[in-house]
Amino acid sequence: MKFTRRTILRGAMAAGAMSALPRLSFAATSLEMGSARIDTLSDGNLVLPLGFVSDNPAAKPILESYGITGDAVEPPCNVTLYRDGTNTVLFDVGSGNDFMPTAGKLTEAMDALGVAPEDVTHVVFTHGHPDHLWGVLDDFDEPFFFNAQHMMGKTEFDYWIDPATQDSIDDGRKTFAAGALRRLETLQDQIATFGDGEEILPGIMAQMTPGHTPGHMSYQVKNGSAQAFIIGDAIVNHYLAFAAPAMAAGSDQDPDLGATTRVALLDQLASEKMPIVGFHLPEGGLGHVERDGDAYRYVPEV
Ligand SMILES: [Zn+2]
């Protein structure tokens, strides 16, 4: 298995022009898996209030030890592309144009890699939050990846397609529910659903990791003896989620269930020592998990 790191710089990079331009650099990482490969593609980043991570006073010293002292965090967004010679699979599709101006950059990152929307054969969702789902339609409300079979875990699909979710979800996420409903209604005839433990494509096994959302799915990807684990937002940052995995996270819709899932998943990932891709983990999102006393640490593959 071989890791490479690549920084792709695009756009007008001439000195002097930079300060007036939005950020146009994309960091990406790759993992060769025998005859298959994973590339992570940057969709940009989010800007979130720190309280969305945790408002627990016990979190403060941990955050400070990671240099996080302001009012906001800017997590990166890493979409995973898996190509095995037959299938070209995108795990999540980023934010599109309607969520945050700092995100929705996936197509530029795909361009840089030479992959066109029509090349994508499958779009597989970890969950239905805006930064993972909203890029699925183009400006005409047609599927952006128009040749792709779309796939989502059944529990997750059923939750967001239910109009009652807009009433039951907390106020801060009502726009999430409206945005997911509109997109999934549009896609409904083109989306396949599946359950926990199913092999959804050759070498790709779904593993339910609920709590961040009711039906959040992670994916074990295997090709020959090589494997990797695509964890979406089951482990949502490289600081608190590793240093204090049992601590409730503000970004989880069910914080207690999210913590239970995270504790079990980190134990599994540290034991199996396999590469992981986290949607909001730094340095392109590819790394692995190591034990650190009673907790864990994230080790990026740079
Ligand atoms: Zn996310």
Side-chain angles (χ1 to χ4, degrees):
M1 224 173 281
K2 184 165 143 266
F3 292 98
T4 55
R5 178 166 176 78
R6 182 177 64 251
T7 299
I8 301 160
L9 299 174
R10 287 169 50 79
M13 302 299 286
M18 280 302 289
S19 58
L21 290 170
R23 193 158 62 187
L24 286 172
S25 64
F26 302 97
T29 44
S30 302
L31 172 64
E32 288 180 14
M33 301 179 63
S35 58
R37 67 181 284 130
I38 279 176
D39 292 279
T40 67
L41 301 167
S42 174
D43 190 50
N45 67 277
L46 305 181
V47 181
L48 301 171
L50 192 59
F52 199 70
V53 177
S54 176
D55 50 14
N56 186 334
K60 200 162 179 265
I62 300 170
L63 292 169
E64 283 172 359
S65 74
Y66 282 87
I68 300 163
T69 55
D71 298 329
V73 288
E74 298 189 1
C77 299
N78 310 299
V79 172
T80 301
L81 179 72
Y82 175 70
R83 290 177 285 179
D84 65 5
T86 304
N87 294 322
T88 296
V89 185
L90 266 188
F91 291 89
D92 296 329
V93 294
S95 295
N97 295 327
D98 297 337
F99 187 47
M100 284 187 188
T102 52
K105 317 295 186 194
L106 175 63
T107 48
E108 291 150 72
M110 287 179 66
D111 274 357
L113 202 62
V115 177
E118 60 263 36
D119 298 336
V120 176
T121 59
H122 299 82
V123 168
V124 178
F125 294 104
T126 60
H127 65 295
H129 278 167
D131 49 323
H132 301 254
L133 170 66
W134 284 17
V136 76
L137 300 180
D138 66 16
D139 292 343
F140 302 98
D141 269 3
E142 300 282 342
F144 192 81
F145 302 98
F146 52 89
N147 286 331
Q149 166 74 61
H150 294 68
M151 309 173 89
M152 185 181 272
K154 185 173 186 331
T155 304
E156 188 73 3
F157 180 82
D158 288 350
Y159 174 74
W160 295 109
I161 200 78
D162 182 356
T165 293
Q166 290 190 73
D167 302 321
S168 61
I169 202 167
D170 60 283
D171 284 349
R173 293 185 173 91
K174 290 210 185 292
T175 55
F176 292 16
L181 176 63
R182 183 171 81 74
R183 287 166 177 83
L184 293 181
E185 276 182 341
T186 305
L187 281 170
Q188 129 153 263
D189 295 333
Q190 296 154 69
I191 198 161
T193 59
F194 53 85
D196 184 21
E198 281 190 38
E199 186 174 10
I200 61 167
L201 289 166
I204 301 178
M205 188 83 74
Q207 180 173 324
M208 184 98 146
T209 44
H212 184 71
T213 58
H216 185 286
M217 284 284 187
S218 299
Y219 300 94
Q220 279 192 60
V221 180
K222 289 185 183 169
N223 186 63
S225 61
Q227 49 187 336
F229 213 116
I230 295 160
I231 56 172
D233 285 3
I235 299 170
V236 82
N237 59 54
H238 65 287
Y239 31 91
L240 276 186
F242 288 83
M247 187 186 290
S251 55
D252 289 343
Q253 288 189 214
D254 182 336
D256 293 335
L257 180 58
T260 302
T261 290
R262 190 163 50 245
V263 166
L265 184 60
L266 281 164
D267 180 59
Q268 177 188 356
L269 294 171
S271 300
E272 294 176 357
K273 299 186 188 341
M274 75 169 84
I276 63 170
V277 189
F279 194 86
H280 297 297
L281 295 181
E283 309 285 354
L286 248 170
H288 65 270
V289 180
E290 282 182 359
R291 292 185 200 279
D292 183 12
D294 293 338
Y296 300 88
R297 76 168 76 87
Y298 175 63
V299 182
E301 308 287 353
V302 179

